Amino acid sequence: MRVVDVIIVDDQAPFRSVARALIRLLPGWRVVGEAATGEDALDLVIGGRPTMILMDINLPGINGIEATRRILAESPDVKVVLVSTYAADDLPPDAGACGALAYIRKDDLTPALLRALPV
């Protein structure tokens, strides 16, 4: 079984807790780090090689879109999934061009959706 190492990046601790619980429901998936800012996410990726990052779009400092660009420039094999409360039609214009694998609304995040992602 392939292990999927996940970093959760969100400035809201309650969401990180929910995402952590969802990931624990998936066999072979584990949370290897959490960050509340884009800058901290960059540091975590440099310090390790996660398989996937769940990246909030709205973060203090470097936002999730810019953090995704920078992470993928250094580690193109990492899969970044943007998460936010935006409806897909209301995403910032640059969200589609940052290199993220997918976008999932926070309300729609489920183990089944995560499992369906190509990682």
Side-chain angles (χ1 to χ4, degrees), residues 32-85:
V32 296
E34 296 183 22
T37 68
E39 291 86 351
D40 289 344
L42 292 169
D43 290 342
L44 281 175
V45 173
I46 290 169
R49 289 288 180 194
T51 311
M52 176 183 287
I53 301 171
L54 293 179
M55 178 77 72
D56 186 21
I57 291 176
N58 291 316
L59 296 168
I62 298 171
N63 70 29
I65 294 168
E66 180 59 26
T68 296
R69 276 193 200 99
R70 293 183 188 188
I71 287 168
L72 293 176
E74 295 292 321
S75 302
D77 55 325
V78 173
K79 307 298 184 201
V80 179
V81 176
L82 295 176
V83 294
S84 190
T85 57

